[in-house]
Amino acid sequence: MPPSPGFPPDAVPLTRSATLPAGILEEAAALVRRRTGLVFSEARRSAFETGLQTAMRQAKLSDPDLKTYLARLAVEPALLDDLVAEITVGETYFFREPRQFAVLRGDILPALLSGRPPDRPLRAWSAGCASGEEPYTVAIMLRELGADRGAHIVGTDLSRGALAKACRGRYTRWSLRGTPEHAVGRYFTPVGNQFELAAAVRAAVEFRYLNLAEDTYPSFATGVWGMDVILCRNVLIYFDAETVARAARRLIDCLSEDGWLLLGSSDPLLADLVRCEVVVTSAGLAYRRAGVRQVVAPEIHAPPIPPPPLEPARDPAPEPS
């Protein structure tokens, strides 16, 4: 049997143990792939089915309405947003992957800021920002370095629901589990069982809808061009090889001449997919435009920090909307 257009070529057909009809899953996966570029390997098919069922329940649709749901999914952005939120891992928190942030704060940002003219503020982009913790972390970091004046920080995601939550800037203690207590006291105000981010930090970040699988960047319209720092962590894992290569080329093209692209530890290596310069850091690989002059040593040594806390497999309870 040939592979479905909704799943990668190396994926095997759905087994009979699937709760939903295989044809429906394949059709839904193909639609999601066409609209978002997201693909799901065999290992993720169970999660895809579970997310599909959850999204259908949220839309108040049951099994007999599967065809109706797919028809609506093709024309209603809100329904697609809900499905994307359920089938991707949007779990994030402030100062996640602290070793990478240590390299950013200790080496990359000082090098970028050294001798920088006042009329050239720093530009940073969090691609696939989910509920906003990552770009807000960058804003806090720049504020503490005294480099926030005029800085352009943008967070993008393909889930409008996640972006709406990011704009609100309210989080539970779970989102602050990697945040130093002094930063919690300085930048957050308790409001009931949540913590509201300081207005100055919220105002420093602009949130935009952007699908990394689409050919809409770099551009002035999307606000992502000439970026000094791009964080795109654990996003490319959801794309097939062809989409990864296209997205990687666009991400590199979005960098300034001395900019840096940081990916997640689970993301694919880019060296074989796009022309770029690979820099080995103490927190993993970083990428730059090919042929740029190094402004820091190729081997970056970030200051030692304690290991991050172990993460449970999933949140103990869903965060209130």
Side-chain angles (χ1 to χ4, degrees), residues 22-52:
I24 289 294
L25 288 180
E26 301 290 0
E27 189 175 344
L31 187 151
V32 169
R33 186 173 189 173
R34 288 194 306 272
R35 296 286 298 277
T36 68
L38 301 177
V39 296
F40 293 84
S41 65
E42 175 63 18
R44 293 196 182 107
R45 288 192 181 196
S46 176
F48 179 83
E49 180 181 5
T50 301
L52 178 61

Side-chain angles (χ1 to χ4, degrees), residues 147-224:
D148 57 321
R149 184 179 299 275
H152 175 74
I153 307 171
V154 60
T156 66
D157 203 89
L158 54 71
S159 170
R160 293 174 180 83
L163 292 172
K165 180 179 178 181
C167 289
R168 287 195 295 270
R170 285 196 177 190
Y171 300 93
T172 64
R173 172 62 76 170
W174 187 245
S175 288
L176 303 179
R177 62 190 184 276
T179 308
E181 283 303 317
H182 78 274
V184 174
R186 184 178 302 169
Y187 298 108
F188 294 88
T189 301
V191 179
N193 64 344
Q194 294 185 311
F195 292 80
E196 183 172 272
L197 186 61
V201 179
R202 296 202 311 272
V205 181
E206 176 186 6
F207 291 100
R208 290 173 173 258
Y209 174 88
L210 190 142
N211 185 348
L212 291 174
E214 295 179 347
D215 187 17
T216 58
Y217 63 99
S219 74
F220 289 102
T222 58
V224 289

Side-chain angles (χ1 to χ4, degrees), residues 32-105:
V32 169
R33 186 173 189 173
R34 288 194 306 272
R35 296 286 298 277
T36 68
L38 301 177
V39 296
F40 293 84
S41 65
E42 175 63 18
R44 293 196 182 107
R45 288 192 181 196
S46 176
F48 179 83
E49 180 181 5
T50 301
L52 178 61
Q53 291 174 314
T54 302
M56 287 174 59
R57 285 195 297 271
Q58 291 175 343
K60 295 183 170 42
L61 293 169
S62 56
D63 286 1
D65 300 303
L66 285 169
K67 287 292 185 180
T68 301
Y69 175 71
L70 292 180
R72 289 179 55 190
L73 197 65
V75 296
E76 296 184 32
L79 283 185
L80 184 61
D81 284 349
D82 290 343
L83 177 57
V84 167
E86 294 299 331
I87 61 179
T88 57
V89 180
E91 197 275 343
T92 184
Y93 54 90
F94 286 86
F95 293 93
R96 189 180 186 183
E97 298 194 30
R99 288 181 175 81
Q100 202 170 60
F101 275 118
V103 169
L104 187 62
R105 176 169 184 157

Side-chain angles (χ1 to χ4, degrees), residues 148-298:
D148 57 321
R149 184 179 299 275
H152 175 74
I153 307 171
V154 60
T156 66
D157 203 89
L158 54 71
S159 170
R160 293 174 180 83
L163 292 172
K165 180 179 178 181
C167 289
R168 287 195 295 270
R170 285 196 177 190
Y171 300 93
T172 64
R173 172 62 76 170
W174 187 245
S175 288
L176 303 179
R177 62 190 184 276
T179 308
E181 283 303 317
H182 78 274
V184 174
R186 184 178 302 169
Y187 298 108
F188 294 88
T189 301
V191 179
N193 64 344
Q194 294 185 311
F195 292 80
E196 183 172 272
L197 186 61
V201 179
R202 296 202 311 272
V205 181
E206 176 186 6
F207 291 100
R208 290 173 173 258
Y209 174 88
L210 190 142
N211 185 348
L212 291 174
E214 295 179 347
D215 187 17
T216 58
Y217 63 99
S219 74
F220 289 102
T222 58
V224 289
W225 54 273
M227 309 308 295
D228 298 300
V229 175
I230 299 176
L231 298 174
C232 183
R233 306 195 291 189
N234 304 318
V235 177
L236 300 182
I237 56 174
Y238 289 102
F239 296 152
D240 59 25
E242 181 181 350
T243 306
V244 168
R246 291 199 306 268
R249 285 193 293 270
R250 289 192 289 266
L251 288 168
I252 293 295
D253 287 344
C254 284
L255 289 173
S256 64
E257 287 302 315
D258 53 355
W260 294 78
L261 169 62
L262 305 178
L263 302 182
S265 57
S266 301
D267 285 310
L269 302 177
L270 301 188
D272 295 332
L273 300 175
V274 62
R275 186 170 178 266
C276 62
E277 182 173 325
V278 182
V279 182
V280 179
T281 81
S282 59
L285 301 180
Y287 300 92
R288 311 190 70 196
R289 283 181 175 272
V292 299
R293 179 177 61 86
Q294 289 289 343
V295 293
V296 294

